[in-house]
């Protein structure tokens, strides 16, 4: 087993710092030229409050249930 020094955001979520050796891998840092400006909350879902964005309108939809797809116009002006 190895004890890791964890970031404060993981400690505050109750992540235990002891890990079995079979669960650890060599760290390869992110390439900031390919993936600029990534922050931990974009990558990790730690069960905290999610970022919320206001929807202007839903302009299209297709499918049903779990297969439903929507085209959304956001109040920021973007569409997805």
């Amino acid at each position: 087993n190895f004890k890791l020094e964890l970031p404060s955001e993981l400690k505050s979520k109750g992540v235990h710092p002891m890990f079995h050796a079979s669960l650890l891998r060599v760290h390869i840092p992110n390439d900031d030229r390919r993936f600029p400006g990534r922050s931990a909350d974009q990558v990790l879902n730690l069960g905290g409050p999610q970022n919320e964005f206001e929807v202007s309108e839903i302009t299209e939809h297709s499918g049903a249930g779990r297969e439903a797809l929507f085209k959304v116009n956001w109040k920021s002006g973007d569409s997805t």
Side-chain angles (χ1 to χ4, degrees), residues 54-74:
E54 291 189 48
V55 173
S56 176
E57 64 180 328
I58 297 174
T59 58
E60 298 176 29
H61 76 277
S62 64
R66 296 181 139 264
E67 303 299 318
L69 295 173
F70 297 90
K71 182 173 182 181
V72 176
N73 288 338
W74 303 98

Side-chain angles (χ1 to χ4, degrees), residues 27-63:
H27 173 69
I28 300 171
N30 291 329
D31 184 353
D32 284 337
R33 290 173 293 156
R34 292 181 64 199
F35 306 104
R38 284 202 287 180
S39 62
D41 63 336
Q42 291 175 309
V43 180
L44 301 172
N45 180 5
L46 299 173
Q50 299 291 319
N51 291 334
E52 294 183 7
F53 302 95
E54 291 189 48
V55 173
S56 176
E57 64 180 328
I58 297 174
T59 58
E60 298 176 29
H61 76 277
S62 64

